[in-house]
Amino acid sequence: MNATALQDVPPPRETQESYLQDGFSLRSWLLTTDHKRIAILYLASITAFFFIGGSAAALVRYNLLVPQGMIHSAETYNRLFTMHGVVMVWFFLVPAVPVTLGNFVVPLMLGARDLAFPKLNLFSWYLFILGGIVVLYSLFTGGVDTGWTFYTPLTTAYSKGHVVATVVGIFIAGFSSIATGLNFIVTIHRLRAPGLTWFRLPVFLWSLYATSVILVLATPVLAMTLLLLAFERIFHIGVFDPAFGGDPLLFQHLFWFYSHPAVYIMILPGFGIVSEIIPAFSRKPLFGYSFVVWASIGIAVISFLVWGHHMFVAGTSLLSALVFSILSYMVAVPSAIKVFNWIGTMHKGYIHFDAPMLYALGFIGLFTMGGLTGLFVAALAADVHLTQTYFVVAHFHYVMVGGMVSAFFAGLHYWWPKITGRMYPEMWGRAGALTIFIGFHLTFFPQFILGYLGMPRRYHAYPPEFQVLNVLSSAGTTILAAGYLLPLAYLTWSLLRGERAPANPWEATGLEWKTPSPPPTHNFTVTPMVDSAPYSYPTPGSRHRHE
Amino acid sequence: MNFWLTAATPAATEVDHLIIALLIISIAVLALVFGLMLLYMFKYRSGSDVNRGALAQKTWRIEAAWTTGTLVAFFFLFLWGARLYVQLFQPPRNALRIYVVGKQFMWKVEHDGGQREIDAIHLPIGMDIELIMTSEDVIHDFSVPAFRIKHDVLPGRYETLWFHVDKPGTYHLFCTQLCGIDHSRMIGQIVALPKADYQRWLAQSDAGETLATAGKTLFMRYGCSGCHGSNGAGGPQSESTVHAPSLAGLYGSPVTLADGSVVKADDRYIRDCILTPSRQRVASYPPAMPSFSGEISEEDLLKLLAYIKSLSDAGVP
Amino acid sequence: MNETFLPHEFQYASAEHQSQTAISGMWLFLASEMLFFGVLFLSWIFCRHWNPVGFDVGGGQTEMILGTINSVLLLTSSATYTAGTRCIEAGNARGLIAFCVITALLGLTFLGVKFGLEWHGDLDKHLFPGPDFAIQGAARAGAQLFFVFYFVSTGLHGLHMVAGIGLVAWILWRARRGDFSAAYSTPVSVVGLYWSFVDMVWVVLYPLIYLVGRSP
């Protein structure tokens, strides 16, 4: 195989020591432009936000143990679920996979030495932290009680919370997202190794590419909408208030124009992760590679065309309802195609049940359930009954938590050896996967029933006949919480005591596995060349590394 | 703990049928997905030496098959949901109208005969009922799970819901759009009564005057009669000197606007005429009507509306 | 080897590679900015549809002469910056420096006219939306909405101009240091793209602000 020198000028620090050893001071971390270190900085940040948002969720479920609400103040309850939504959506779900696994793996998978714009990458982390500080300031000085959806005129004229501070924080974090998306798109276009053509790209890269397009095009719409919201709240005059000739539905259209594609920002990277793991742990190429790729692109495009399905009872026209319903069904088709292709990959494979695979399998189960319940709410007449109830809450938690968080853990375990140079303890990894899967169902399945029976969402207190199902759901959260604390514990443990990892512990394909674990700062001293399709697992074959 | 919810209207039963169909399809797909996954996890686990044979090469046939199947199923579900949705939101003519004003944190209800309720609606079974709803402040949502119906209630406009209850009983009414601190306490009851009981309830309620009568008083007090005439007859025939349209027979009939378009004079139209007359100028009349925006409360507006309807045959309740 | 060696960042294969990448990055950023301003334009269209009379009345209150002067200033500044880019591509650093100065001055004049003269006058005439908004009667609501757009869009555009002038100043500073030559002037082109975009936003804003309500 011909290896070409990367360029005429060697990288500044030609060394094989790992990126983790390349400087130990705080400065070397806080001022780094190394995509791998930035990924770690982000990992620590989103983990912190996950536990903040998760604590709010725990308190919400605690409140719902009794019909009159365990928490005395309804105002506090409203602020808790708003905090849960705001923190989880913008400071965990939207950034998580792209800024941690994406930042770390994208250049490696491409055979590049870093992203196209490393300083922009660091700047995007600074923006994220700044936005987070503003939002946390707002939350801890009283918070906001409007729900993460900020509907007007409640937010512009009636709410007494820190609306402006919260939306400013989200606005800043939005630019962090745009910067990350921009960086990924340009990197994937321009820094591919020789021979790595578009249709040889691993699906993880395609998914991040599609995600990045949405990040760059949808987030600015949210930014401007929040700006107009803040303006209206401060100056008491604006475009969303009917008292002044404006229209609250305009806010809803603008808000959902971003927020619907946003949920695909959350899930597409998850699809990508699962598309890497299933082939690796079935020792088989991905079934229907080009279909999976086109499905990702299709999802990104159609995701911009379905926002009106959040407004079927909001007062939009019948025509609007019809159009958005049919498009919402269409966006589900590419996702279904992916599920079938993953199962097709398992067919006639040699399946190994390591933790990444267990999480990935859990993802397929949970995401399919979540996706199927999406069909319920896409059906206009059924949505009338189910919208604004716990059915919708269960639906989106199945896809976002059951789906996306499982995929995130799958990827985290899969690439953990590469990132840290350590193996996590396998038995604990499997235990964690199973605990999350079970705890998740116990928490959220009862909510489908609650929603059908009519229990509204965002209710501090509820009629007594809903109590049994609420108690079941809240009990489930204790197991789910244990499921999240377990990886925190054993992954942290592995940093100190885990078995040292080889370069390619899973014997997987992909350029990232051709570097040491963990990689040196500049990834590759010699540019890799690619001359084959992705996922070219030897057929037939079991892994050499023992079970 | 119960797993099912009463369906108190025929439409509710139809929605349940759709939901059951969705459930059956979902279970079938889940069985397929979980079944195959579990089968493959067992059959093709790495330790098993079952014969894997050659891998499929031409996969596009399979892809086309499951894509088409999915599209067909989805289209069928869309059509069913859409058809039912159209029925859910197209109120029949001559429904009994009841007026609802939502505000933080209560539902104010007014019947044509002047009966007023808070957080409750008494209504007769066996009749088509239409709710005309608006909000005084933020967006609320009027939801009755037993009827499988809900709709947002917006400030500054009217939204409608209709239903036909066939099972007497008391049903939950919820606000289902976050509206502030006591959102979860903005709940009430729909009391569906057999016709005789309903008549008795109407008679017993401390009704005062009917909405239309109250509206007539307001028609004078706000000065509407100054231009439109004391009986709304309007125009040059009346004692007024301003050339204003007649309101007799207006409700429900078509109106030609200055830009040539024709609209129906329904509740929304009349409300908009009173609050924002400059937005929809009527053909062949000067734009002289002042705006009453900010001067008339939602409840007074409903009374005026009831009076104007009473001037037209189509509006008789 | 005949070509001059040009330095570049370690993740790129050549200076040309880096240069093309930087330009793609700016185009993408501008795409996101189009969506950002697009929301404003869409909302303008929507609100005007529902408040045609008010928008016309409000639009009639804008200072068309000042707005037109500003358009001339801004379009000229795009021309001068482009001229500067052509200079450095031909190796003429002094030409670039001169044109940067002119561009920045034109930009600053624009800001002076916009905020020093025009906004000052608008505020004096009580055209800022609020309780003492000058226009009364049936057109008040629509006119207020018009002025919401006016102040938000010109304010945001102004902020973008300030950033743009800062960038032009940065190019000026680097040019004086001798960073640019015929072989290397990527940052100049990248800033030029941004400046042209800010210009384009104004080209869309101008009719929405000054020409509405003024049709014969």
Side-chain angles (χ1 to χ4, degrees):
Chain A
M1 187 163 80
N2 288 331
T4 9
L6 187 62
Q7 64 221 7
D8 9 48
V9 175
R13 305 198 28 192
E14 183 74 66
T15 168
Q16 280 294 88
E17 72 179 2
S18 89
Y19 77 99
L20 289 170
Q21 291 163 322
D22 193 1
F24 292 100
S25 65
L26 199 58
R27 268 183 67 110
S28 72
W29 278 92
L30 296 179
L31 295 179
T32 182
T33 55
D34 179 357
H35 66 100
K36 299 181 289 299
R37 287 192 166 207
I38 294 174
I40 307 275
L41 290 173
Y42 264 118
L43 183 61
S45 319
I46 59 144
T47 304
F49 283 116
F50 180 75
F51 282 102
I52 294 174
S55 308
L59 287 168
V60 163
R61 286 294 347 150
Y62 167 72
N63 175 75
L64 293 171
L65 282 171
V66 295
Q68 64 273 24
M70 294 288 290
I71 295 176
H72 178 67
S73 156
E75 176 75 17
T76 304
Y77 180 78
N78 290 3
R79 291 176 185 211
L80 278 172
F81 68 69
T82 302
M83 167 154 97
H84 171 67
V86 168
V87 168
M88 285 308 207
V89 167
W90 282 296
F91 294 91
F92 178 73
L93 288 168
V94 163
V97 173
V99 303
T100 57
L101 300 173
N103 258 329
F104 197 97
V105 171
V106 166
L108 292 170
M109 248 189 197
L110 287 172
R113 284 184 157 172
D114 206 313
L115 291 178
F117 306 122
K119 291 190 207 125
L120 180 66
N121 201 10
L122 180 65
F123 185 59
S124 84
W125 182 69
Y126 289 160
L127 285 176
F128 182 72
I129 294 299
L130 180 61
I133 289 174
V134 173
V135 166
L136 286 177
Y137 156 76
S138 148
L139 262 19
F140 289 113
T141 54
V144 172
D145 61 347
T146 59
W148 76 278
T149 47
F150 296 114
Y151 274 17
T152 61
L154 177 64
T155 43
T156 48
Y158 292 86
S159 165
K160 294 187 179 38
H162 295 291
V163 174
V164 175
T166 310
V167 305
V168 166
I170 297 169
F171 182 89
I172 297 172
F175 283 98
S176 167
S177 290
I178 294 174
T180 299
L182 193 153
N183 226 336
F184 283 175
I185 293 176
V186 176
T187 305
I188 294 174
H189 268 278
R190 297 231 167 242
L191 295 187
R192 278 173 284 133
L196 188 53
T197 58
W198 282 98
F199 279 85
R200 285 178 176 170
L201 284 178
V203 173
F204 185 59
L205 290 174
W206 275 108
S207 309
L208 283 176
Y209 185 86
T211 305
S212 299
V213 169
I214 305 178
L215 279 168
V216 168
L217 297 180
T219 316
V221 173
L222 177 75
M224 180 59 80
T225 307
L226 292 179
L227 204 70
L228 289 173
L229 178 75
F231 187 87
E232 183 155 335
R233 185 169 166 87
I234 296 171
F235 296 108
H236 303 294
I237 174 65
V239 301
F240 304 132
D241 195 337
F244 301 109
D247 189 348
L249 247 50
L250 178 61
F251 176 82
Q252 293 180 31
H253 280 292
L254 293 173
F255 179 82
W256 288 113
F257 185 82
Y258 160 78
S259 296
H260 190 83
V263 312
Y264 291 97
I265 292 173
M266 300 171 198
I267 200 71
L268 272 169
F271 288 157
I273 293 173
V274 170
S275 302
E276 297 300 315
I277 291 178
I278 305 277
F281 291 84
S282 306
R283 316 302 302 157
K284 254 192 78 196
L286 180 66
F287 189 88
Y289 168 84
S290 55
F291 283 87
V292 174
V293 166
W294 285 109
S296 309
I297 296 172
I299 289 173
V301 170
I302 307 178
S303 76
F304 277 97
L305 304 175
V306 299
W307 79 89
H309 68 220
H310 299 272
M311 298 167 69
F312 286 153
V313 293
T316 53
S317 69
L318 176 62
L319 178 64
S320 156
L322 292 172
V323 167
F324 283 114
S325 173
I326 185 74
L327 283 165
S328 302
Y329 274 108
M330 282 170 46
V331 81
V333 175
S335 303
I337 290 176
K338 287 186 190 234
V339 171
F340 298 141
N341 277 291
W342 292 321
I343 297 179
T345 307
M346 289 167 70
H347 177 66
K348 294 190 181 171
Y350 288 80
I351 301 177
H352 299 263
F353 295 102
D354 301 88
M357 184 60 162
L358 288 182
Y359 276 112
L361 292 170
F363 170 92
I364 298 178
L366 291 169
F367 173 76
T368 305
M369 286 180 69
L372 285 169
T373 54
L375 301 180
F376 284 66
V377 287
L380 286 164
D383 185 68
V384 172
H385 177 56
L386 298 171
T387 191
Q388 300 297 335
T389 69
Y390 265 86
F391 188 92
V392 166
V393 172
H395 160 69
F396 64 69
H397 281 91
Y398 261 82
V399 282
M400 294 203 294
V401 180
M404 187 259 145
V405 175
S406 291
F408 177 68
F409 278 123
L412 195 61
H413 285 73
Y414 182 57
W415 281 300
W416 189 257
K418 183 58 56 186
I419 296 172
T420 62
R422 305 277 187 161
M423 294 301 293
Y424 58 83
E426 183 59 45
M427 190 200 77
W428 285 105
R430 294 177 184 183
L434 234 43
T435 311
I436 289 181
F437 187 78
I438 294 171
F440 181 85
H441 278 298
L442 287 176
T443 307
F444 289 102
F445 194 84
Q447 295 183 9
F448 283 124
I449 304 173
L450 271 173
Y452 169 75
L453 292 176
M455 178 168 168
R457 56 186 291 199
R458 297 173 163 172
Y459 260 37
H460 163 247
Y462 55 83
E465 66 258 35
F466 296 132
Q467 182 172 22
V468 175
L469 286 167
N470 270 295
V471 169
L472 274 177
S473 173
S474 297
T477 52
T478 53
I479 302 181
L480 191 58
Y484 291 136
L485 290 169
L486 262 177
L488 184 68
Y490 67 71
L491 286 176
T492 310
W493 175 91
S494 80
L495 290 174
L496 304 163
R497 298 295 183 84
E499 186 192 321
R500 297 262 173 202
N504 193 351
W506 314 118
E507 291 173 46
T509 63
L511 291 176
E512 75 270 27
W513 302 107
K514 303 228 181 325
T515 62
S517 299
T521 303
H522 293 294
N523 301 343
F524 301 95
T525 40
V526 156
T527 317
M529 295 249 308
V530 174
D531 54 9
S532 58
Y535 316 110
S536 43
Y537 287 98
T539 29
S542 183
R543 221 161 57 195
H544 293 120
R545 185 164 183 271
H546 80 101
E547 272 290 74
Chain B
M1 167 162 86
N2 50 333
F3 287 111
W4 97 89
L5 175 70
T6 314
T9 69
T13 307
E14 293 201 47
V15 170
D16 275 353
H17 291 162
L18 172 58
I19 291 179
I20 291 171
L22 283 159
L23 194 60
I24 292 174
I25 293 175
S26 301
I27 293 175
V29 171
L30 271 178
L32 179 69
V33 168
F34 276 67
L36 280 176
M37 272 172 56
L38 288 167
L39 174 67
Y40 293 167
M41 278 161 73
F42 180 72
K43 184 170 174 188
Y44 297 114
R45 66 194 188 283
S46 68
S48 110
D49 51 13
V50 72
N51 181 21
R52 272 114 174 137
L55 297 177
Q57 287 308 318
K58 285 212 181 67
T59 63
W60 72 266
R61 268 180 249 267
I62 306 178
E63 302 276 5
W66 59 46
T67 307
T68 313
T70 312
L71 275 169
V72 167
F74 288 178
F75 194 63
F76 162 72
L77 290 171
F78 159 71
L79 282 176
W80 188 344
R83 209 180 123 266
L84 194 46
Y85 180 85
V86 166
Q87 286 169 13
L88 283 175
F89 286 110
Q90 279 187 342
R93 319 180 89 230
N94 302 319
L96 172 67
R97 285 190 183 82
I98 302 179
Y99 305 91
V100 176
V101 175
K103 77 183 269 298
Q104 287 174 326
F105 298 98
M106 64 176 79
W107 297 103
K108 296 195 279 194
V109 179
E110 304 201 17
H111 297 255
D112 264 334
Q115 296 86 354
R116 313 181 59 164
E117 313 187 62
I118 302 261
D119 290 342
I121 307 187
H122 284 74
L123 43 83
I125 60 170
M127 274 187 77
D128 295 335
I129 307 212
E130 186 183 355
L131 300 183
I132 318 284
M133 315 181 289
T134 186
S135 164
E136 281 183 16
D137 40 39
V138 299
I139 302 180
H140 300 274
D141 189 296
F142 188 95
S143 162
V144 184
F147 303 172
R148 311 294 187 274
I149 193 85
K150 63 166 67 74
H151 201 283
D152 275 5
V153 175
L154 270 65
R157 38 198 267 197
Y158 286 150
E159 299 294 337
T160 61
L161 268 191
W162 82 275
F163 43 79
H164 179 116
V165 187
D166 52 16
K167 290 199 183 90
T170 304
Y171 306 108
H172 280 303
L173 159 63
F174 294 129
C175 173
T176 51
Q177 184 65 256
L178 178 64
C179 55
I181 298 180
D182 282 333
H183 168 58
S184 59
R185 288 183 176 77
M186 192 165 159
I187 64 179
Q189 300 186 319
I190 309 291
V191 182
L193 300 166
K195 290 219 174 80
D197 294 343
Y198 174 67
Q199 293 301 331
R200 221 172 307 136
W201 177 83
L202 282 178
Q204 277 167 7
S205 299
D206 192 12
E209 48 185 4
T210 66
L211 282 183
T213 314
K216 184 172 170 136
T217 313
L218 293 174
F219 191 78
M220 312 281 199
R221 193 199 313 157
Y222 281 115
C224 318
S225 50
C227 297
H228 290 285
S230 53
N231 286 317
Q237 298 92 348
S238 79
E239 54 271 24
S240 93
T241 49
V242 174
H243 180 53
S246 165
L247 305 181
L250 170 66
Y251 186 82
S253 54
V255 175
T256 310
L257 297 181
D259 62 5
S261 59
V262 177
V263 298
K264 183 167 160 214
D266 59 7
D267 301 277
R268 283 201 185 94
Y269 172 77
I270 293 179
R271 177 207 164 84
D272 285 346
C273 281
I274 298 173
L275 296 182
T276 50
S278 61
R279 280 206 198 173
Q280 28 175 40
R281 297 177 32 201
V282 180
S284 75
Y285 285 96
M289 176 159 172
S291 158
F292 288 85
S293 176
E295 295 179 39
I296 308 186
S297 69
E298 293 294 344
E299 291 170 74
D300 279 358
L301 266 172
L302 288 172
K303 294 179 174 105
L304 281 169
L305 194 59
Y307 172 63
I308 292 170
K309 278 190 223 178
S310 71
L311 298 177
S312 155
D313 288 340
V316 173
Chain C
M1 218 164 46
N2 291 333
E3 8 176 299
T4 334
F5 172 72
L6 288 164
H8 52 83
E9 293 291 322
F10 67 93
Q11 68 270 26
Y12 294 106
S14 69
E16 172 70 11
H17 188 206
Q18 179 176 331
S19 161
Q20 286 176 343
T21 305
I23 294 195
S24 331
M26 178 50 80
W27 276 110
L28 252 184
F29 174 65
L30 295 179
S32 78
E33 288 268 65
M34 283 200 282
L35 269 292
F36 186 63
F37 278 98
V39 171
L40 274 182
F41 300 147
L42 191 85
S43 305
W44 185 100
I45 292 172
F46 178 86
C47 288
R48 177 159 196 273
H49 177 72
W50 290 112
N51 297 280
V53 172
F55 263 57
D56 282 358
V57 168
Q61 294 292 317
T62 54
E63 300 286 349
M64 184 150 142
I65 295 181
L66 290 180
T68 310
I69 290 175
N70 263 346
S71 303
V72 172
L73 288 173
L74 201 50
L75 288 165
T76 309
S77 74
S78 260
T80 57
Y81 191 86
T82 307
T85 312
R86 293 281 166 274
C87 280
I88 192 62
E89 282 167 0
N92 179 3
R94 293 182 61 192
L96 171 64
I97 291 170
F99 279 117
C100 277
V101 171
I102 299 175
T103 305
L105 285 176
L106 287 169
L108 285 168
T109 313
F110 176 99
L111 291 177
V113 170
K114 178 91 233 148
F115 298 112
L117 289 178
E118 202 177 345
W119 270 33
H120 192 78
D122 296 327
L123 293 171
D124 272 348
K125 286 196 288 179
H126 296 287
L127 290 173
F128 190 84
D132 50 345
F133 185 69
I135 299 174
Q136 305 291 346
R140 184 191 173 93
Q144 284 210 85
L145 274 181
F146 173 85
F147 277 99
V148 168
F149 284 109
Y150 171 79
F151 283 105
V152 171
S153 53
T154 55
L156 278 175
H157 180 263
L159 280 175
H160 281 77
M161 286 278 303
V162 169
I165 294 170
L167 287 170
V168 171
W170 174 66
I171 294 291
L172 175 62
W173 175 70
R174 286 193 70 180
R176 291 192 63 196
R177 264 192 354 176
D179 283 359
F180 304 126
S181 66
Y184 175 67
S185 60
T186 312
V188 182
S189 311
V190 168
V191 170
L193 278 174
Y194 178 80
W195 191 260
S196 300
F197 173 75
V198 176
D199 202 359
M200 292 291 304
V201 171
W202 180 259
V203 165
V204 179
L205 279 181
Y206 178 81
L208 298 187
I209 293 172
Y210 299 102
L211 301 184
V212 72
R214 290 197 161 105
S215 51

